[in-house]
Every structure is written in structure tokens, then in C-alpha cells.
Amino acid sequence: MNNDLILLGHGSGGRLSHQLLDDLIIPQLSSVPVKGQNDAALLNIGGVKLAFSTDSYVVDPIFFPGGNIGDLAINGTVNDLAMMGARPLCLSVGFILEEGFSKEELSRILASMRQAADAAGVAIVTGDTKVVPKGKGDRIFINTSGIGALEHNLQIDGASARVGDKIIVNGCIGDHGIAVLSAREGLEIDSGIKSDSAPLNGLVTGLLTLGPALHVLRDPTRGGVATTLKEIALQSGVTVTLNEESLPINPGVKGVCSILGLDPLYVANEGKLLAMVAPERADEALEIMRRHPLGRDAAVIGEVTETSAGKVQMETLVGGMRGVEMLAGEQLPRIC
Amino acid sequence: MNYSDVFRDKELVQGLAKRIAELTRGRTEPLVFMEVCGTHTNAIYQFGLRSLLPPEVRLISGPGCPVCVTPNSYLDCAVALCRLPDVIIASFGDMLRVPGSSSSLMEERAKGADIRVVYSPLDAVQLAAKNPDKRVVFLGVGFETTAPTIAGSILAAKAQGLSNYFVLASHKTMPQPMAILSADPELQVDGYICPAHVSAIIGADAYRFLCEEYKVPCVVTGFEPTDVLQGVEMLVRQAIAGESKVEIQYSRVVRWEGNAKAQAMLADVFTPFDAPWRGIGVLPGSGLRIADKYAEFDAELAIPVQVEELKEHKGCLCGEILKGKVAPFDCPLFGGKCTPESPVGACMVSSEGTCAAAYKYGR
């Protein structure tokens, strides 16, 4: 195989993405070694602690059940800041538009961006627009960057998982990925599934009241819950054990996954977070989540069981045990 | 409770595992059962079924993944076709990563080839209708399960009068490799977990000759955990009693005679040929190619193309793994030079491949 080319799988959020970052991008751009990746950088500027994050959105189709590329771009960066325990303050927006893109569609996207920003309580304060010739882009790409305030002294990151921690998810997994997939041309599946795209900063504000019992927050976007947990297990040097029976999964998501041979554990989410919480405060964390509209279906899905290996394993529905790995390349539908 | 939840009931599964353990307790030699369907391989790993079975029962994987048994030569032909400027390749997703002699379709896509992932061969027919100035080639790979839908796509293209839809056909049929494996003195298989989808088409009667000629028990088994373990229990009972017969565990779907309509469609559109299997070799009458009367849809005949010289990957044990002689973890390339991101052999490519399942679930 030729290893000189960028493949679609390098953008999947799975192991290929990690290899690209670790082997090429980070070593060339950063003089400081980076151990694992968190959702945002933490900055201390003259004694003021900030979180800073950026993300680009290239989703196809741009309109899908439950949202569009615009609100996704706002929620995504808001969530990346929130996952560091920061209060999102303001965002920048960069548009790359393809010649011939409809102004009406752009207007709809802008309206939903404004609505999403208002819902998250963030301001869009700067931006940029470029237009590329027809055929040199795919209608619209959006980049958002954001700054958030860190108003606590807690250590919340992917390297802070500890043995005994309970792993909590705020609701059903895989909705976003399946909603987008179902809306894709050529795949006429009426799954009834809507994207879960939503700002999670309100939910995080509640969880921060747990104080030092809150160890890790991470949104399982591309690569899904499996890849995100594997990242955390590697960053923290722990073994995570999931319980398949307790995974909240919408029946529609289960159905589409079963037809296409996909695993919901690897399907993208845009309004979900994984929290790792000290066991003695886990029930309280669950209560906090369930009181919030975005956490009604919150569930404990597993725990950190050992201090070694960077491993994720799962007790299956039927009581068997199996390993869980990072997404390898793209998740591709199987033949039969 | 969903319909499928009944077949994933923890207590039922644990009860079956316990019964199998009781039946086999004290055996000095383990009973070895082979599954010859990638979906079974995947289900066994996905539900962690091996961890529930006693050491007296060993499950091994055979040549059941359609992508895995597709030889390099086929991939090389697909790669050559995708380099033609007016060709769109339409394929099921898991073919894209399979390495040919020097490239893969995913790599060719990154270089600019027009390669589309479709979910049904009929999508590829639509693609041809929408792109009259292009030639659309569907990669017709798979066992008896997939072949009827591809036969259907050829009939649909004919009915629509399309002259730009083609199939690069390399379908395989299942009973022949099972006979070869049964006759292999190096391999001791005490019973087959026969495929579910394939059997729904060809019928359980298709395995009767295996029981008669090779004295090997066969149980047609479904994909849910209770199905698989019940199938294993039926095989254990036959093996202990010294019997060799075909039984249907998956009676909610599979009939003795199979699906006559699908069989008729296969007989109309395809014709048997001596197909090459990766790692196993050419097996007489084990493949389906497009019949002469539909030759206009045969990409191999209709689109002449220069195919690169065949190169086999050194050190790859896919062939032995497909025959169940070597376990994935025993291949020197497994997890090192050969990973799902950079597969050397096809067993690591498809989600149904033995090595891919072992890498994803078994470590």
C-alpha cells in the first residue's frame, strides 16, 4: 500500500486521524510534546485562564434531520470548550463557499447559526468568507474557533480518569451519524432519527458542581463512543470496562446499524458527552444530568477497572467479554 | 422487548453455554467446529461467545468472508478499470480497502478515480441511468446471498435498455470449499456451523453430500447469540453420538429446498466456472460468472483493460487463516505490519474478515 496519500479515513476521527496527528502534524507544528489530544487548549494569559478550540465542518448533506452544517459548527466548538470545563464566551466563523452556492441556503444556515449561538449564550465576534471556483469545494465548508473562560481550578481532561470512576453518557448514542447517513443521497432510509446536535455547556455547568469528583468530560463525536473511550484509556493509562446492556441506543439507530453492518459504538454524536466521575458522586452526577433536558436518558455505561494498558473492553449483552478498539479508517457498510 | 432481543436473552445464552459445558465435560480432545460465514465470525466475536464456551469446544473460522476470498487478480482488474477516464466504479464499502498487487480502490479514489460506495446494486443501475456519458462498473462480489441481487441489477439494466452498466463478477458458491476443507487431512473439523443467509438461498439440502461423503455434521445456524450456541449444542450432540447429518437450527428462515425464485434467477444470469479463491486456489465450479446471453453486461468482456502483473504479498497467511489452519494471532504480520488501517491481507480488511474481527474484538 502507498502510504504517501491522505485518505478519507485520515479525517474519520479514528486511528488513522491519530496517526496523522502524531506522526506528521503535531511534530511539525508544535515544539512542545503533546501527550494525547484534548478538545481545546488551555491558556494562561496574564493570570487569566482560557480555553481555545477550533474545528471545521464538512458534513454531507448540509441539511439533515435535526439540524444543518451551521448549527453543527456552533454547537461543535461550544462543546469542545465545554468539555474542558470552560464557559464558552465567543466564536469566530470562517466560511469557504463554492461558486454557485445558493444564497437562500446560506441564509437558512446563517439563521440557524445565530439561533444556536443564542441558545448556547455565545457571541459570534469575528469571521471570514472566501469563495472558491465551481468544482473546487463542496458548496460550503465552515470553520469555527472559540474562546471560553475557565472559572475553576479543577483538572478535567482525558488523562485524569481513575480506577473506580463511573462512566456516564447523557443519552442515546449514534443519533447524529445515523441521521446524516439516512439523509444521504442514494440511501433512502426513513429511520425517523434526528441529529442530537446541541450545546452541552448548560449540562456541564451542572456537572461542575461535583468539584474534584469530576475527572473527565469528552464529547464522542467522530469515531463515536468506542474511539473516544479508547483515547481516554490511552491518555490516562487505564482499562475501561463497558456494559453493553446499559448503553442507551435508539431502536431506529439499532435498526439502521444492523441493516448496514455498522456498530453504534463507532457512530458520531454531536450532542452527547461522556463524563467520568468518582464512584461516590456518580449517582449525584446522574441526577444532575437527568434534571437537564439534554440528559434525560443519562445512564452509567461502565467504569474504569484497572490502572494499566489503555484498554477498552465490554461485557456483551449475553455476558461474554470482548475488546473494543478505535475506529479503523472509515466505517464502511459491509457486503451482506 | 424487541423481536431480536429474544435471541439475545442473557439467561437463555448462559443456559445454553452451561448445557454445552455439561455435555463436553472431561473430553480430552476438544471438539472443533468451523463457521464458514463472515457474519457468524463477526457475531461470535461481537458477543464474546468464545469466552462463554468451555475449553472442550473450539470455534474456528473458515473461508466465509466474500471480500477475503477475492483474489488479488480481481482487485487489480478493478483498479485498472477505475483508472479509465470514463469509468465510475460502484462498490459495497468493504471492497475499497482491499489491497491488490500494488494499489487499492481507496488509494485510487484519493488519486482522483471516481469510486462510489453504494448500498445496493440497484443504486449502481441508477447511477448508470444518471450518467449516460460514463460506464458504471459494479463490483459483483459475494456468495449466493448477494449474487441474486446483482443478477437482479443486470435484469433491471436490461429492462431499462442501459448500455453503460456492467458487472465485474466474481461470485463464489459455498459448498465446494467446505468439501475441500473436509477432505484436508491437516484439518480436523468436527462439524460445520453452516451459513444462514447463503442457506436461505441454496437450501439446507445443499450440505447433505458433506455429511454423506465426509461424515461431518452440519447445522444451519442463525446469527443471534442463542442461534449460534444452540447450533453448537446440536453439533456437540451429533459429534458425541457419532452422527453426521444436516440439521436446521435457523428454521425461522431456512428451508430444505431454499429459495426457488432466487435460484432460478442465478441460473438464468450466471453460469458456474472454476473460480480462484484467495489462499485456497482454483476450485472447480465454485464461482458464478455472467452467462453468455448477458455478456454485454460483463465488464471483463466489454471493457478491455491492461491489468498489472500479479504480485502476492509475502508473509501473509490469509490462505491458511481462510482454511482455519492458522489463528489470526499466530500470523507474524497480525497487528504489526497488518492492521485494519494498512491491511496486508484481505482477512484484515472487511468487517467480516477473521483477522479484522480478532483485531477489533479479540485483543
Side-chain angles (χ1 to χ4, degrees):
Chain A
M1 282 279 273
N2 183 339
N3 289 321
D4 297 337
L5 302 175
I6 297 293
L7 305 176
L8 266 182
H10 284 115
S12 66
R15 199 162 23 220
L16 273 183
S17 304
H18 281 259
Q19 283 172 3
L20 186 69
L21 280 170
D22 294 340
D23 300 345
L24 191 65
I25 295 178
I26 292 173
Q28 293 208 39
L29 291 184
S30 173
S31 51
V32 186
V34 179
K35 191 192 166 214
Q37 286 103 45
N38 288 311
D39 288 327
L42 297 181
L43 309 172
N44 190 328
I45 299 172
V48 179
K49 290 199 292 180
L50 297 170
F52 180 42
S53 182
T54 189
D55 211 337
S56 298
Y57 297 83
V58 296
V59 65
D60 175 36
I62 52 178
F63 294 94
F64 46 81
N68 63 57
I69 191 169
D71 47 47
L72 197 64
I74 300 296
N75 292 333
T77 293
V78 163
N79 291 347
D80 282 345
L81 294 168
M83 293 309 116
M84 304 304 291
R87 181 166 62 88
L89 299 173
C90 54
L91 301 180
S92 74
V93 176
F95 294 102
I96 296 174
L97 306 173
E98 186 190 14
E99 182 184 20
F101 186 60
S102 121
K103 276 191 187 167
E104 187 271 328
E105 286 187 322
L106 179 59
S107 172
R108 276 161 61 200
I109 289 167
L110 292 169
S112 57
M113 290 178 85
R114 177 65 195 268
Q115 211 176 349
D118 289 348
V122 294
I124 299 170
V125 293
T126 185
D128 176 56
T129 306
K130 295 283 186 297
V131 180
V132 295
K134 183 103 189 147
K136 303 283 182 189
D138 189 9
R139 291 164 297 158
I140 177 169
F141 298 142
I142 303 178
N143 172 276
T144 49
S145 299
I147 292 176
L150 271 171
E151 296 161 329
H152 55 74
N153 288 313
L154 305 171
Q155 171 90 18
I156 300 168
D157 60 33
S160 298
R162 295 175 207 171
V163 171
D165 279 359
K166 299 286 181 194
I167 302 159
I168 307 174
V169 67
N170 62 314
C172 289
I173 64 168
D175 289 11
H176 174 73
I178 295 302
V180 171
L181 195 66
S182 304
R184 204 161 276 177
E185 193 192 8
L187 192 67
E188 283 148 19
I189 294 181
D190 184 10
S191 64
I193 302 296
K194 285 188 176 166
S195 168
D196 60 349
S197 174
L200 294 168
N201 49 332
L203 195 59
V204 169
T205 304
L207 288 172
L208 287 170
T209 61
L210 294 167
L214 180 62
H215 298 156
V216 181
L217 288 171
R218 188 69 71 83
D219 54 343
T221 52
R222 294 169 311 156
V225 168
T227 304
T228 303
L229 285 175
K230 180 76 182 181
E231 285 168 1
I232 297 168
L234 286 167
Q235 267 182 285
S236 298
V238 294
T239 295
V240 163
T241 303
L242 286 175
N243 183 338
E244 189 173 19
E245 216 168 6
S246 61
L247 285 175
I249 306 176
N250 205 311
V253 169
K254 261 188 203 171
V256 175
C257 284
S258 160
I259 292 166
L260 298 177
L262 305 175
D263 185 339
L265 267 184
Y266 295 90
V267 176
N269 308 275
E270 287 293 344
K272 291 293 161 331
L273 63 79
L274 294 166
M276 295 199 180
V277 179
E280 62 277 10
R281 306 288 295 275
D283 286 344
E284 201 183 326
L286 208 52
E287 279 307 305
I288 291 169
M289 283 208 200
R290 286 179 178 163
R291 279 200 298 269
H292 193 280
L294 294 174
R296 276 196 207 107
D297 298 322
V300 174
I301 59 170
E303 62 182 65
V304 179
T305 46
E306 287 172 50
T307 47
S308 59
K311 192 172 153 189
V312 181
Q313 58 189 15
M314 180 155 85
E315 186 183 342
T316 69
L317 289 174
V318 297
M321 207 49 139
R322 63 139 156 121
V324 175
E325 277 299 315
M326 269 192 196
L327 176 64
E330 299 162 77
Q331 217 186 181
L332 294 167
R334 63 171 185 227
I335 281 188
C336 69
Chain B
M1 186 181 264
N2 284 328
Y3 173 71
S4 67
D5 290 345
V6 179
F7 302 101
R8 297 177 179 189
D9 183 272
K10 202 172 182 172
E11 274 181 36
L12 278 178
V13 167
Q14 306 268 347
L16 281 161
K18 206 173 144 199
R19 278 220 298 275
I20 293 168
E22 280 162 8
L23 284 168
T24 55
R25 186 164 298 138
R27 282 189 70 88
T28 48
E29 285 288 303
L31 287 167
V32 179
F33 302 127
M34 177 183 272
E35 86 274 357
V36 287
C37 167
T39 312
H40 276 140
T41 305
N42 209 49
I44 288 164
Y45 276 105
Q46 191 193 338
F47 292 102
L49 298 185
R50 276 196 183 85
S51 70
L52 297 173
L53 287 171
E56 289 85 0
V57 174
R58 262 185 70 209
L59 301 184
I60 59 170
S61 307
C65 159
V67 174
C68 305
V69 297
T70 301
N72 274 357
S73 53
Y74 179 87
L75 264 304
D76 293 343
C77 188
V79 164
L81 284 168
C82 84
R83 288 174 176 164
L84 297 177
D86 66 334
V87 164
I88 299 174
I89 296 282
S91 173
F92 294 127
D94 44 5
M95 283 299 289
L96 266 60
R97 271 201 292 264
V98 188
S101 291
S102 67
S103 186
S104 70
L105 293 168
M106 199 163 269
E107 212 173 295
E108 294 301 314
R109 189 173 68 175
K111 288 180 192 163
D114 195 347
I115 295 166
R116 316 274 182 100
V117 171
V118 293
Y119 301 91
S120 145
L122 289 176
D123 294 343
V125 174
Q126 271 188 10
L127 201 60
K130 280 188 191 164
N131 294 276
D133 54 334
K134 298 274 187 185
R135 292 183 285 183
V136 174
V137 178
F138 182 78
L139 302 184
V141 166
F143 294 110
E144 293 95 330
T145 328
T146 327
T149 62
I150 294 165
S153 78
I154 289 175
L155 296 175
K158 193 175 175 70
Q160 291 176 39
L162 292 176
S163 58
N164 66 331
Y165 177 71
F166 307 92
V167 174
L168 186 64
S170 178
H171 298 286
K172 305 279 192 292
T173 50
M174 192 32 94
Q176 293 86 344
M178 292 168 78
I180 300 284
L181 295 173
S182 304
D184 190 329
E186 283 179 36
L187 197 65
Q188 183 231 333
V189 175
D190 296 302
Y192 284 113
I193 297 172
C194 296
H197 292 151
V198 163
S199 306
I201 306 292
I202 65 174
D205 271 334
Y207 308 104
R208 214 178 282 275
F209 79 103
L210 291 170
C211 302
E212 287 162 5
E213 285 178 35
Y214 304 100
K215 309 290 175 218
V216 58
C218 290
V219 175
V220 178
T221 308
F223 296 121
E224 296 294 341
T226 47
D227 289 327
V228 175
L229 290 190
Q230 193 182 21
V232 169
E233 187 194 352
M234 289 160 85
L235 285 169
V236 166
R237 287 187 188 279
Q238 279 202 53
I240 289 173
E243 292 176 332
S244 56
K245 57 187 181 188
V246 184
E247 291 182 282
I248 304 177
Q249 180 280 330
Y250 198 37
S251 56
R252 61 189 188 275
V253 172
V254 174
R255 302 279 169 271
W256 290 102
E257 67 284 2
N259 181 330
K261 197 176 164 190
Q263 288 169 18
M265 202 188 258
L266 288 182
D268 177 37
V269 176
F270 294 114
T271 190
F273 82 114
D274 301 344
W277 291 59
R278 185 187 291 263
I280 297 177
V282 174
L283 303 185
S286 70
L288 296 173
R289 66 169 177 79
I290 296 172
D292 292 344
K293 69 192 258 205
Y294 296 101
E296 66 199 275
F297 298 99
D298 189 338
E300 218 173 329
L301 298 175
I303 314 178
V305 76
Q306 190 78 30
V307 180
E308 68 184 289
E309 196 187 333
L310 183 68
K311 273 185 264 167
E312 295 295 347
H313 301 283
K314 281 188 187 143
C316 173
L317 294 185
C318 272
E320 299 304 290
I321 288 165
L322 288 167
K323 285 186 265 189
K325 292 183 180 179
V326 170
F329 300 104
D330 298 329
C331 175
L333 305 184
F334 181 85
K337 279 191 178 165
C338 186
T339 62
E341 300 81 41
S342 184
V344 176
C347 295
M348 190 57 99
V349 176
S350 166
S351 60
E352 308 219 329
T354 310
C355 293
Y359 189 90
K360 187 174 169 195
Y361 300 127
R363 295 193 301 160

